[in-house]
Amino acid sequence: QWFGNAVTESTWDDAWLSEGFATFFSMLFQEHAYGHEEFVAAIKNSRKSVYNFSKKDSTYSIVAPRSAETDPVTTGITYQKGAWVLHMLREKIGHDNFRKGIQAYYAKYFNANATTANFKEEMEKISGQNLATFFNQWLYKPENLKISAHWEYDANAQQILLSIKQTHYSGFVFDFPIEIEIFDAKTNSTEIMTFTVNTKEAIIPIKYNKNPSSIKFDPRTVLLAEIEMK
């Protein structure tokens, strides 16, 4: 009946393997039954919950050594951020690989116990990617990404200058892809580009022969971040 009962986490440390999965797959059902906009609304609500909870407890990470006798083993972070990890993982390795990885993980650990490391191993096998940084920063770290973003157009150089600064309270630096959508009102056209950011502050030049009407950061809602536009 429940995915987490058929593949159960080995300890409370990995409770997200049932609860985060349950949350994300319920969103996928909403998308299947009611359309993509319902999915986007659900994932946005989850993002809001993550940042609201982190204001109350900024030290809670999804995976950590916990005991039900002494600690809260699940919180909104377990459910909502756990769902977001799966959402971002699906985008990172591709939807087909994600589906195949889930199937392989489920088949291997059906009616048994699994750890986050076991899940990571199966997704790496399917995707051919090293997911160590991804899993470490989103699952084992309590920080939640906050960004101050700015863009301007340099007509002389014919380029867009993107400015992205990580502004969350700690010194931890995330490594993440960020999408932008460039809109041209004259032609009523849009173009989506993706860039990798792995420094606290980044200036990204983009060759572009006309002044964009607007630029939107994370247009598809695929990055767990609070983005403040300057």
Side-chain angles (χ1 to χ4, degrees):
Q1 182 177 1
W2 290 300
F3 186 95
N5 281 13
V7 179
T8 305
E9 60 269 19
S10 295
T11 71
W12 283 114
D13 303 0
D14 297 306
W16 83 285
L17 290 175
S18 55
E19 312 310 345
F21 276 62
T23 305
F24 183 62
F25 281 100
S26 69
M27 293 177 188
L28 293 182
F29 174 77
Q30 285 178 277
E31 181 177 39
H32 171 76
Y34 308 114
H36 184 65
E37 290 305 313
E38 287 293 321
F39 174 82
V40 172
I43 206 72
K44 284 183 176 179
N45 283 336
S46 282
R47 179 174 61 193
K48 183 178 180 181
S49 296
V50 169
Y51 283 89
N52 284 342
F53 182 86
S54 68
K55 292 175 183 176
K56 301 174 184 176
D57 185 353
S58 62
T59 65
Y60 198 98
S61 61
I62 295 179
V63 180
R66 298 189 178 102
S67 167
E69 289 75 27
T70 59
D71 304 298
V73 291
T74 61
T75 68
I77 293 291
T78 313
Y79 289 80
Q80 308 303 332
K81 190 174 179 180
W84 257 97
V85 170
L86 294 172
H87 177 45
M88 291 188 292
L89 179 61
R90 186 171 68 145
E91 293 299 321
K92 180 174 177 62
I93 68 175
H95 289 210
D96 287 344
N97 279 339
F98 180 81
R99 182 171 59 252
K100 292 174 183 176
I102 291 293
Q103 291 171 344
Y105 166 74
Y106 186 79
K108 185 171 183 178
Y109 295 101
F110 178 72
N111 279 351
N113 300 97
T115 65
T116 297
N118 296 144
F119 175 61
K120 171 177 167 289
E121 182 181 8
E122 293 306 310
M123 302 311 274
E124 286 182 331
K125 284 179 183 177
I126 292 295
S127 67
Q129 295 185 30
N130 184 330
L131 299 174
T133 297
F134 179 90
F135 272 68
N136 178 62
Q137 69 184 15
W138 297 115
L139 289 168
Y140 294 87
K141 298 291 184 180
E143 289 86 355
N144 289 302
L145 178 61
K146 293 184 179 181
I147 297 170
S148 175
H150 170 76
W151 73 272
E152 61 185 64
Y153 185 70
D154 184 338
N156 293 327
Q158 291 195 321
Q159 66 180 8
I160 301 166
L161 288 175
L162 300 181
S163 174
I164 299 171
K165 182 179 180 180
Q166 300 189 36
T167 59
H168 41 281
Y169 68 93
S170 77
F172 180 75
V173 176
F174 283 84
D175 182 338
F176 61 93
I178 188 164
E179 290 184 351
I180 65 164
E181 183 179 55
I182 304 173
F183 176 63
D184 180 7
K186 291 182 180 179
T187 59
N188 195 31
S189 61
T190 61
E191 182 178 2
I192 291 181
M193 299 180 178
T194 305
F195 304 92
T196 297
V197 177
N198 53 23
T199 56
K200 187 171 183 180
E201 297 186 47
I203 304 294
I204 303 171
I206 306 168
K207 293 301 291 182
Y208 212 73
N209 60 10
K210 51 192 171 183
N211 193 348
S213 304
S214 65
I215 289 181
K216 184 176 183 181
F217 287 77
D218 192 32
R220 297 190 304 120
T221 317
V222 292
L223 177 65
L224 180 58
E226 279 190 341
I227 302 175
E228 179 188 13
M229 290 292 296
K230 295 286 188 181

